[in-house]
Amino acid sequence: MKRDAAGNAVVEAGWQAVRDDGRVRPELLEAAYAEPRLRQLFPWTGMGELHFSRCTGQRWTWDILYIQPASDGTYWVSGPLRSETVGPAATAQDAIAMVVQHLPAGCGPAFVGTPEELAAHEATTQ
């Protein structure tokens, strides 16, 4: 799915908001943003965690792994549901690699809209 310049601006604003809120370790944000497959998704935070959504509108999607900080400076990769865990990651780059390895099939640029609008769009394009 191709996204227009306005959609790119929405996603980029999301990345800037995550940087500005200061709840995610800078090295994790830098590593995630450097990965093109994650940079095209909409980032959001919760409890210091870094999440990625396939759409820009809230309630965001919950079908991509997320990264939690561990107290010893490492990371824990979980998800996509809160009850699911993947495992520990020694570095931000390791955590990013784990997320990328588990991206859903066809995971492309974030859809500008809500999860419901994304589902409707996907239903008409499959």
Side-chain angles (χ1 to χ4, degrees), residues 31-111:
Y33 191 78
E35 169 51 59
R37 290 166 287 187
L38 297 182
R39 185 174 54 241
Q40 68 181 345
L41 300 173
F42 191 83
W44 60 280
T45 62
M47 300 183 290
E49 304 161 344
L50 180 58
H51 296 258
F52 306 94
S53 177
R54 294 186 312 114
C55 68
T56 61
Q58 285 192 26
R59 294 185 339 244
W60 300 301
T61 59
W62 274 87
D63 55 355
I64 298 174
L65 301 182
Y66 61 95
I67 304 166
Q68 302 167 280
S71 60
D72 62 357
T74 63
Y75 298 92
W76 192 262
V77 179
S78 298
L81 302 175
R82 285 225 177 262
S83 60
E84 300 172 320
T85 61
V86 176
T91 67
Q93 290 78 12
D94 291 344
I96 295 303
M98 291 169 77
V99 172
V100 169
Q101 180 182 359
H102 292 90
L103 285 173
C107 188
F111 178 82

Side-chain angles (χ1 to χ4, degrees), residues 4 12 17 24 59 119:
D4 63 13
E12 196 58 39
V24 174
R59 294 185 339 244

